[in-house]
Amino acid sequence: MTTLDNPGTPFAVLDTTRLERNIARLRDHLGSLGVPLRLHVKTSKSVEVANRVHGSSGGPVTVSTLAEAEHFADAGYRDILYAVGIDPHKLPRVAALIDRGVTVTVLLDSVAQAHALRRFAQEEGVAVSALIEVDCDGHRGGVAPDDPALIDIGKVLADRGQLAGVLTHAGESYFACTADALRLAARAERDVAVAAAEALRAEGLPCPVVSAGSTPTAHAATDLTGVTEVRAGNYVFFDLVMAGVGVCAIDDIALSVVVTVIGHQPAKGWILTDGGWMATSRDRGTAVQAVDQGYGLVADLTGNLIPGLVMTGASQEHGILAVRTGPVADIPLGTRLRILPNHACATAAQYSRYHVVASAAAATEVAAIWPRHNGW
Amino acid sequence: MTTLDNPGTPFAVLDTTRLERNIARLRDHLGSLGVPLRLHVKTSKSVEVANRVHGSSGGPVTVSTLAEAEHFADAGYRDILYAVGIDPHKLPRVAALIDRGVTVTVLLDSVAQAHALRRFAQEEGVAVSALIEVDCDGHRGGVAPDDPALIDIGKVLADRGQLAGVLTHAGESYFACTADALRLAARAERDVAVAAAEALRAEGLPCPVVSAGSTPTAHAATDLTGVTEVRAGNYVFFDLVMAGVGVCAIDDIALSVVVTVIGHQPAKGWILTDGGWMATSRDRGTAVQAVDQGYGLVADLTGNLIPGLVMTGASQEHGILAVRTGPVADIPLGTRLRILPNHACATAAQYSRYHVVASAAAATEVAAIWPRHNGW
């Protein structure tokens, strides 16, 4: 039997007890709102995780890279949204997936991109469908729902039946800090998506898909009338940023990194570990929150939080742990600890696989190794 | 012929014209000081890069993971220092390398670790040699050169001939901001290493190796009397943090990331790209320097800096570029750009390979693909 005491540190641990709970929670919530989930797989990049969400049905997924799209297509997934604005040089890879019988929808927010898609359909004979990205909070890309460009793009896409609908993402909800702010973000996200869809339909254009979502807004939404699918990905793992936003409890965080204590600097109250920023990533998302959790909170090997202990510093392969206040923690050389991440998407990306445990059954027994698929 | 216009973006580019210049510069400097280099391969994790430094000789290297040690051993390197404090669970992998004829030296800073090494030698019959880590600037681990623990550790290691010497690393030199501060850091690093070696020798203990170094201090040192080897790694690539410290010019930076423009938000002056923090890493090392370079500076595809343009924001697969001041840059959809990294070690770690160009010959012709070896 392999336990978390065996592999060389650092390595990533995934607790399926917490994973299943997180999956069930959003499934129940969206079920009560009557809207299906299009899982975003950019967080886990794991077919095994997606299978826990979708069962063996290979349900709809969102990807952040074409490498993810190809990996999930290889595993039998047949309904894939590539949710990063498309550049024409990526269309041959999209077309190759479509040729294999996979429905791949792309994203764009300009007339020029729509023309490129139409030109590709004319020249290559593959009509790639697209969602039009709509901006609901100034976070990133997208056209405003009342921007005339929305209709212009829709007309170019509709010309060859390539208009699949609209998409919006409330990226600013990651910076919400009250339940009210989250509800407002969720309502704005829904309202903008639906308004854009209605603007297209008012012009006689089709808009079957109205896609909205982010982990915070997916959980905070109370009415998704008019939305046809919700995207969320981070919630399968959750992390300290999501706990700071109030979307989860720290005990819900399913991903952690196992490190070993390799030294002490008692005069400074430092415990040194073999997990630096290569093990945790450089993500310090909680630095802008009410409580800065450093590079992460610290739990023992069974997953129980060690109160007050924080990973305060990191170089490439060294971590520094220290207590916020009070006496220095007495943790001997060789002790294995778990670091809870600021941002699960970034921390998981440092690894090519997960060591899987089920805390409800046996907190440190490694039940499986699940690969993840990095790169582009 | 493959050029930087061909691969799907984002991808990492390594300019061997700059690489060779950076390598020659430190080789010349250390040659003038009469001290050999023990290349740190944690930045490039590339045998091809190390071969440019050491020729076909397979000279001495420093590694940050045992995965690097095994990879370089496979490539014929026979003198490897693993410069992260050793935990006993890693000794079997070290012993396996020694059994293959590789000299592997480990690092420690406590009597307990020295006892563990001695016990391993007694029980397994493999005497792993170690350097004692000495603290020169309070950056991380190590004992002070006048700490009695130094002698205690030395005696335990010497008992079975496992005392190889001392090592120090001026990690705080990354935060120096004047040439004087760098020279002082280099002098302190050398002085502390030599003082520790002399303290051991005064007790009749052997100290053949006196290892010092970091990219800033290796370049700033003017006298390394008593030091037997210098470690540096970042300098092969350099980055914006090193430029901010004043160790290199921005034109020396050999690593960059190619991204494609996928959108615009003209009202905000934003140019959106398909290179987010997954492409650059979350490292924002310049945020604490006099000039914050955001997630990186921006060059055209041939490597010429675009003045004033900065990558100001990042989500997982989206980058936001904006000019610091002045009119919005007019860069069309589909344009490929290069992002210069804050921290080459962190940015390179996001990739499994480098697209190699030689800017002196042809700035965008891909001359080779060099793999890198990530993980632990």
Side-chain angles (χ1 to χ4, degrees):
Chain A
M1 187 183 83
T2 301
T3 75
L4 297 182
D5 284 299
N6 302 129
T9 54
F11 60 92
V13 173
L14 177 53
D15 179 344
T16 53
T17 301
R18 295 179 176 193
L19 176 79
E20 300 275 14
R21 192 168 72 210
N22 298 338
I23 289 170
R25 180 180 158 208
L26 188 61
R27 178 186 294 140
D28 291 348
H29 178 60
L30 294 181
S32 75
L33 297 177
V35 186
L37 172 72
R38 179 180 287 279
L39 177 70
H40 207 316
V41 299
K42 78 185 181 70
T43 304
S44 71
K45 303 204 183 197
S46 157
V47 169
E48 286 77 6
V49 169
N51 288 350
R52 297 279 172 135
V53 173
H54 281 312
S56 56
S57 70
V61 294
T62 316
V63 300
S64 68
T65 66
L66 290 178
E68 290 165 40
E70 291 157 351
H71 182 65
F72 277 80
D74 289 344
Y77 282 78
R78 286 292 172 269
D79 180 0
I80 298 174
L81 166 64
Y82 173 41
V84 177
I86 192 72
D87 184 75
H89 85 273
K90 296 178 179 171
L91 288 174
R93 283 173 74 184
V94 172
L97 286 168
I98 292 172
D99 280 348
R100 291 169 54 187
V102 181
T103 299
V104 184
T105 308
V106 302
L107 186 67
L108 50 74
D109 69 353
S110 68
V111 172
Q113 287 165 302
H115 277 297
L117 244 63
R118 189 169 65 180
R119 201 157 47 238
F120 187 82
Q122 287 165 340
E123 294 173 1
E124 306 296 331
V126 182
V128 179
S129 291
L131 300 179
I132 305 174
E133 185 171 8
V134 184
D135 179 15
C136 66
D137 62 0
H139 180 69
R140 203 157 66 194
V143 296
D146 59 355
D147 187 331
L150 175 71
I151 308 302
D152 296 340
I153 298 167
K155 286 178 176 168
V156 175
L157 289 175
D159 185 44
R160 289 193 165 243
Q162 296 174 282
L163 177 57
V166 294
L167 172 147
T168 192
H169 167 62
E172 288 298 304
S173 68
Y174 277 59
F175 306 100
C177 52
T178 65
D180 278 350
L182 282 173
R183 273 191 296 271
L184 282 173
R187 188 186 304 171
E189 188 182 53
R190 178 254 163 217
D191 290 352
V192 163
V194 171
E198 286 172 355
L200 287 168
R201 292 171 187 145
E203 295 288 328
L205 295 165
C207 188
V209 177
V210 182
S211 181
S214 71
T215 281
T217 54
H219 289 78
T222 55
D223 176 9
L224 289 171
T225 307
V227 170
T228 67
E229 64 177 34
V230 167
R231 304 182 322 282
N234 177 283
Y235 81 100
V236 297
F237 292 169
F238 281 131
D239 52 33
L240 293 169
V241 166
M242 285 298 107
V245 170
V247 181
C248 69
I250 287 172
D251 277 350
D252 294 326
I253 299 173
L255 181 75
S256 58
V257 173
V258 176
V259 303
T260 300
V261 173
I262 59 167
H264 296 90
Q265 290 285 1
K268 296 179 201 159
W270 286 359
I271 297 164
L272 294 155
T273 78
D274 64 355
W277 57 253
M278 191 69 85
T280 60
S281 90
R282 271 292 200 198
D283 200 298
R284 290 274 294 100
T286 61
V288 297
Q289 294 190 323
V291 179
D292 183 342
Q293 309 283 26
Y295 280 92
L297 296 182
V298 185
D300 66 21
L301 196 57
T302 64
N304 293 310
L305 209 62
I306 300 175
L309 196 62
V310 181
M311 181 170 158
T312 54
S315 42
Q316 186 160 337
E317 298 290 349
H318 294 80
I320 296 175
L321 313 182
V323 291
R324 279 191 212 277
T325 55
V328 177
D330 180 20
I331 302 182
L333 280 177
T335 305
R336 291 184 173 218
L337 300 167
R338 289 201 211 172
I339 309 296
L340 302 183
N342 274 257
H343 188 175
C345 309
T347 300
Q350 303 298 102
Y351 297 88
S352 58
R353 58 190 181 154
Y354 303 101
H355 285 72
V356 177
V357 300
S359 59
T364 66
E365 182 181 338
V366 178
I369 304 282
W370 288 356
R372 54 170 279 137
H373 197 74
N374 293 314
W376 292 270
Chain B
M1 185 183 83
T2 301
T3 75
L4 297 182
D5 284 300
N6 302 128
T9 53
F11 60 90
V13 173
L14 177 53
D15 179 343
T16 53
T17 303
R18 294 177 178 194
L19 177 78
E20 299 275 14
R21 192 168 72 210
N22 298 338
I23 289 171
R25 179 179 159 209
L26 188 62
R27 178 186 295 139
D28 290 350
H29 178 59
L30 293 181
S32 76
L33 297 177
V35 186
L37 172 72
R38 178 181 287 279
L39 176 70
H40 207 318
V41 299
K42 79 185 180 72
T43 304
S44 71
K45 302 202 184 200
S46 158
V47 169
E48 286 77 4
V49 169
N51 288 349
R52 297 279 172 133
V53 173
H54 281 313
S56 55
S57 69
V61 293
T62 315
V63 299
S64 69
T65 66
L66 289 177
E68 290 166 39
E70 290 157 352
H71 183 66
F72 277 80
D74 289 346
Y77 282 77
R78 287 290 171 269
D79 180 2
I80 297 175
L81 166 64
Y82 174 41
V84 177
I86 191 73
D87 184 74
H89 85 273
K90 297 179 179 169
L91 288 174
R93 281 173 76 184
V94 172
L97 286 167
I98 292 173
D99 279 349
R100 291 168 55 188
V102 181
T103 299
V104 184
T105 308
V106 301
L107 186 66
L108 49 75
D109 68 354
S110 69
V111 171
Q113 287 166 301
H115 278 297
L117 244 65
R118 188 169 65 179
R119 204 159 43 239
F120 187 83
Q122 285 165 340
E123 294 172 3
E124 307 295 330
V126 182
V128 178
S129 291
L131 300 179
I132 305 173
E133 186 171 6
V134 183
D135 178 17
C136 67
D137 61 1
H139 180 69
R140 205 159 64 193
V143 295
D146 58 356
D147 186 331
L150 175 70
I151 307 303
D152 295 339
I153 298 166
K155 286 178 176 168
V156 175
L157 289 174
D159 183 46
R160 288 193 165 242
Q162 294 174 284
L163 176 58
V166 294
L167 172 148
T168 194
H169 167 63
E172 288 297 304
S173 67
Y174 277 58
F175 306 100
C177 52
T178 65
D180 278 350
L182 284 173
R183 273 193 295 271
L184 281 174
R187 188 186 304 172
E189 188 182 52
R190 178 253 162 219
D191 289 351
V192 162
V194 171
E198 287 172 354
L200 288 168
R201 291 171 187 144
E203 294 289 326
L205 295 165
C207 188
V209 176
V210 182
S211 180
S214 71
T215 282
T217 54
H219 290 78
T222 55
D223 176 10
L224 289 171
T225 307
V227 170
T228 66
E229 64 177 32
V230 167
R231 304 182 322 283
N234 177 285
Y235 81 101
V236 295
F237 291 169
F238 280 132
D239 52 33
L240 292 169
V241 166
M242 285 298 108
V245 170
V247 182
C248 69
I250 287 172
D251 278 349
D252 294 326
I253 299 173
L255 180 76
S256 58
V257 173
V258 176
V259 302
T260 301
V261 173
I262 59 167
H264 296 91
Q265 290 286 1
K268 297 179 201 160
W270 287 358
I271 297 165
L272 293 156
T273 78
D274 65 355
W277 56 252
M278 193 69 86
T280 61
S281 91
R282 272 290 199 199
D283 200 298
R284 290 275 293 97
T286 60
V288 297
Q289 294 190 324
V291 179
D292 183 344
Q293 308 282 25
Y295 280 92
L297 295 182
V298 186
D300 67 20
L301 196 57
T302 63
N304 293 312
L305 209 62
I306 300 175
L309 195 61
V310 181
M311 181 171 161
T312 55
S315 43
Q316 187 161 337
E317 298 290 350
H318 294 81
I320 297 176
L321 313 183
V323 291
R324 278 189 213 277
T325 57
V328 177
D330 180 19
I331 302 183
L333 281 175
T335 306
R336 292 184 174 218
L337 300 168
R338 290 201 211 174
I339 310 297
L340 303 182
N342 274 257
H343 188 175
C345 308
T347 300
Q350 304 299 100
Y351 297 89
S352 58
R353 57 191 183 153
Y354 304 101
H355 287 73
V356 177
V357 301
S359 58
T364 68
E365 181 181 338
V366 178
I369 305 281
W370 288 355
R372 53 171 279 136
H373 197 73
N374 293 315
W376 290 271

